[in-house]
Amino acid sequence: MRSVEITGERGPRFDEVLTPEAVAFVVRLDDEFAGRRSELLAARRERRARFAEGELPDFLPHTKHIREDESWRVASPSPGLARRRAEITGPPERKMAVNALNSGADVWMADFEDACAPTWHNVITGQLTLIDALDRRIDFTADSGKRYELCAEPATIVVRPRGWHLVDKNIIVDGRPVSASLLDFGLALFHSGRRQLERGHGPYFYLPKLEGHLEARLWNDVFCFAQDQLGLPRGTIRATTLIETITAAFEMDEILYELREHSAGLNAGRWDYIFSVIKNFGARPEFVLPDRGQVTMTVPFMRAYTELLVRTCHRRGAHAIGGMSAFLPNPDPETNTACMDIVRQDKERESIDGFDGSWVAHPALVETCRAAFPRDDQLDRQRTDVVATAAGLLAVDRTPGRVTEPGLRNNVSVAVRYFDAWLDGTGAAAINGLMEDAATAEIARCQVWQWLRHVTPLADGGVVTADLVEDMVDKELLSLKPERREPVRELFRRNALASELPTFFTTGAYARHLA
């Protein structure tokens, strides 16, 4: 008999989510797939070790037949996913959910991943938010007296569970924590899947942090198993895969192929993609990147990846969704106009490149995004002009720009302030006019690590040193509450100043800070 222990606290209405049947379903998923998950994570570590020794990724020779086969396509779009011109993202917090669902966006991505600090409270109340939104009982009056009510035609809900690399220590099965991916997915499908079908849509998901097609195959097998367990027809689930790792960029055809009866397309996860480059190749001098603000979507290696994504998707009948615009409305009219112009130009560039829609972080940006995509989709834009090469995808050394002291200071500021927000249970934080989440914090702390490792020259004079970084950290910590300074300093040191680059959420550095 299985030993199942729920160690997380029980809050109001948590029993509505953690029913015996729902927990048993999650345990069945974990029993079935925990072994393969562990094997794939081991393969990630082995591949990263090979990269450290000089190997570079390339298109896989043994899947060449999949890439060259013109006959296969993904499933046609499900109801609610045929038009994706503007998508809004955010954590499944009640107020933000109502604002996102009412924003006029085609899709709301309910994010249990980068925008959601994974406290047990956030994980379970997030599931309650989904249930209440689908049951239309999410309306409420805030303490300020403002009334939040769901509109008549809210956005389509798409859930992003946490990545394969994470576990959740709040459910222990036979002494081991369950997969966080399967927990988030399992609870959402069990409670909200049929609710979504009854409302004319379906159980839709975004899949984060995949590093290759075998991880997509695992998700597809999870979908088949889960649908069989719950009596849902195969193909009911649809999933959009974020291409946000450098290794996945070499396997986009294969990822679509593995998920083809469940695929809803690919998304260009731009911030995590840059982080992935640093994480895999940061120890190598030819992969040192300039200031984060200079690594735009038009630099050669980023353009190669996004153009290949559009070509791959449209060749297979799949939607190609553009990357995040993290700008927030600014109270200063002149600054706000400048920010909106940047967003408009970014989305118009994506539209010209052939994307079918894109992401924003705030309701005020939805119409700007939608206006850039005048048609419901651009699947007819086949982009046969795009020629994919490994050299193009790896052309990091062709990125223009320099490392500057203001750029270093901004990375320190973003990392310190995000760590502080994260320890408060906030996964999406407004910092310097941008909505920052774990992905941008990853880039910030990894660039600091990379520049330190290579004693990178500063355009302003001098080089990046530990003393310089520590001085910047000390000054940034003064803006935090006194009791928070040392915990944040410790996190910064663990995640940016270590001799070897740790993976943000897998080192356990955060686990003891989260109940």
Side-chain angles (χ1 to χ4, degrees):
M1 185 174 181
R2 310 312 306 271
S3 168
V4 179
E5 182 183 6
I6 299 176
T7 61
E9 83 278 8
R10 293 291 182 129
R13 298 182 60 202
F14 278 28
D15 287 345
E16 294 180 34
V17 175
L18 298 169
T19 64
E21 296 81 7
V23 172
F25 177 61
V26 170
V27 170
R28 288 198 300 275
L29 290 173
D30 198 64
D31 281 347
E32 186 73 17
F33 299 106
R36 282 177 58 191
R37 170 186 167 273
S38 296
E39 291 170 1
L40 289 170
L41 293 179
R44 286 186 181 185
R45 293 189 291 271
E46 293 166 4
R47 182 171 55 241
R48 198 165 299 131
R50 295 197 302 272
F51 291 159
E53 294 173 358
E55 183 178 311
L56 290 172
D58 202 346
F59 297 99
L60 302 176
H62 62 277
T63 56
K64 184 179 180 181
H65 65 286
I66 293 174
R67 295 192 299 276
E68 294 184 347
D69 184 350
E70 297 285 347
S71 66
W72 65 268
R73 298 288 185 274
V74 303
S76 57
S78 284
L81 292 179
R83 182 182 65 209
R84 305 178 66 177
R85 292 159 61 191
E87 301 192 357
I88 189 167
T89 75
E93 182 273 330
R94 201 172 189 87
K95 182 176 78 172
M96 295 184 77
V98 175
N99 286 337
L101 290 165
N102 289 350
S103 67
D106 300 304
V107 165
W108 170 48
M109 187 190 77
D111 192 9
F112 286 80
E113 200 228 3
D114 278 352
C116 182
T119 65
W120 189 233
H121 176 271
N122 287 350
V123 169
I124 302 305
T125 58
Q127 297 288 344
L128 286 168
T129 295
L130 298 178
I131 293 168
D132 288 349
L134 291 165
D135 287 348
R136 299 196 65 88
R137 51 179 175 142
I138 199 172
D139 301 356
F140 72 103
T141 302
D143 293 340
S144 64
K146 183 176 179 179
R147 183 69 179 162
Y148 291 83
E149 296 181 356
L150 197 60
C151 66
E153 295 187 16
T156 299
I157 296 174
V158 180
V159 175
R160 178 162 73 170
R162 286 168 284 177
W164 281 130
H165 60 296
L166 296 173
V167 296
D168 198 305
K169 63 179 182 177
N170 292 290
I171 296 185
I172 306 296
V173 180
D174 290 344
R176 60 173 173 78
V178 299
S179 159
S181 304
L182 297 177
L183 175 64
D184 296 340
F185 163 78
L187 290 177
L189 181 65
F190 187 89
H191 290 294
S192 299
R194 290 195 182 278
R195 284 179 164 92
Q196 289 172 294
L197 288 167
E198 289 166 1
R199 284 148 189 79
H201 291 163
Y204 304 146
F205 296 90
Y206 258 109
L207 305 181
K209 306 291 190 293
L210 268 64
E211 295 198 6
H213 74 286
L214 295 181
E215 297 180 16
R217 181 182 297 172
L218 176 56
W219 267 119
N220 195 72
D221 290 346
V222 168
F223 294 161
C224 292
F225 179 85
Q227 288 166 143
D228 291 348
Q229 290 284 306
L230 297 180
L232 298 172
R234 291 199 175 186
T236 300
I237 293 171
R238 294 298 171 88
T240 305
T241 303
L242 288 123
I243 302 300
E244 52 187 352
T245 65
I246 182 68
T247 50
F250 286 88
E251 301 180 34
M252 287 191 270
D253 265 310
E254 293 90 331
I255 287 169
L256 287 175
Y257 182 81
E258 295 293 346
L259 288 160
R260 57 195 181 279
E261 72 172 330
H262 297 113
S263 182
L266 303 177
N267 172 282
R270 59 174 70 172
W271 304 125
D272 270 313
Y273 190 82
I274 299 169
F275 161 59
S276 169
V277 170
I278 301 172
K279 181 173 68 174
N280 282 292
F281 310 114
R284 301 168 65 161
E286 68 269 31
F287 286 91
V288 174
L289 285 164
D291 287 357
R292 176 164 67 108
Q294 298 178 46
V295 188
T296 67
M297 298 304 291
T298 60
V299 304
F301 82 98
M302 294 297 286
R303 187 146 186 81
Y305 136 71
T306 53
E307 289 191 319
L308 178 58
L309 188 151
V310 173
R311 180 181 184 275
T312 303
C313 282
H314 289 181
R315 184 181 174 215
R316 306 303 182 183
H319 283 95
I321 308 301
M324 169 64 77
S325 177
F327 281 99
L328 298 173
N330 193 290
D332 176 67
E334 187 174 339
T335 302
N336 192 62
T337 297
C339 289
M340 290 296 180
D341 283 344
I342 293 172
V343 173
R344 177 182 53 76
Q345 291 168 19
D346 182 51
K347 302 311 174 190
E348 287 177 351
R349 175 194 53 76
E350 289 180 325
S351 181
I352 291 169
D353 285 348
F355 281 95
D356 301 293
S358 192
W359 275 10
V360 296
H362 193 279
L365 303 178
V366 167
E367 285 309 313
T368 300
C369 181
R370 183 192 303 282
F373 298 91
R375 294 194 286 151
D376 285 351
D377 65 62
Q378 300 195 80
L379 293 170
D380 59 325
R381 295 278 310 282
Q382 292 290 296
R383 292 305 309 268
T384 55
D385 58 304
V386 174
V387 179
T389 67
L393 291 173
L394 294 169
V396 175
D397 59 347
R398 293 173 54 201
T399 305
R402 298 283 302 278
V403 178
T404 68
E405 187 167 326
L408 175 61
R409 192 176 302 279
N410 182 67
N411 276 347
V412 170
S413 174
V414 168
V416 166
R417 293 172 65 183
Y418 185 79
F419 290 167
D420 180 53
W422 206 87
L423 291 178
D424 264 338
T426 299
I431 301 174
N432 300 332
L434 298 173
M435 184 61 77
E436 305 283 27
D437 64 9
T440 43
E442 291 281 36
I443 301 170
R445 64 102 186 179
C446 283
Q447 282 201 305
V448 172
W449 177 88
Q450 185 184 46
W451 296 340
L452 277 169
R453 182 181 179 95
H454 295 284
V455 196
T456 305
L458 292 166
D460 330 70
V463 298
V464 179
T465 65
D467 286 344
L468 177 60
V469 172
E470 290 272 22
D471 181 64
M472 290 181 176
V473 171
D474 288 341
K475 291 176 180 176
E476 194 66 35
L477 289 172
L478 294 176
S479 65
L480 308 187
K481 296 176 182 177
E483 66 273 16
R484 188 56 64 76
R485 292 170 188 168
E486 285 310 309
V488 170
R489 185 197 304 278
E490 179 189 350
L491 289 181
F492 189 93
R493 284 175 172 168
R494 283 177 179 242
N495 288 285
L497 303 182
S499 58
E500 296 298 325
L501 180 64
T503 304
F504 199 15
F505 286 116
T506 57
T507 62
Y510 289 91
R512 59 192 175 83
H513 296 286
L514 292 174

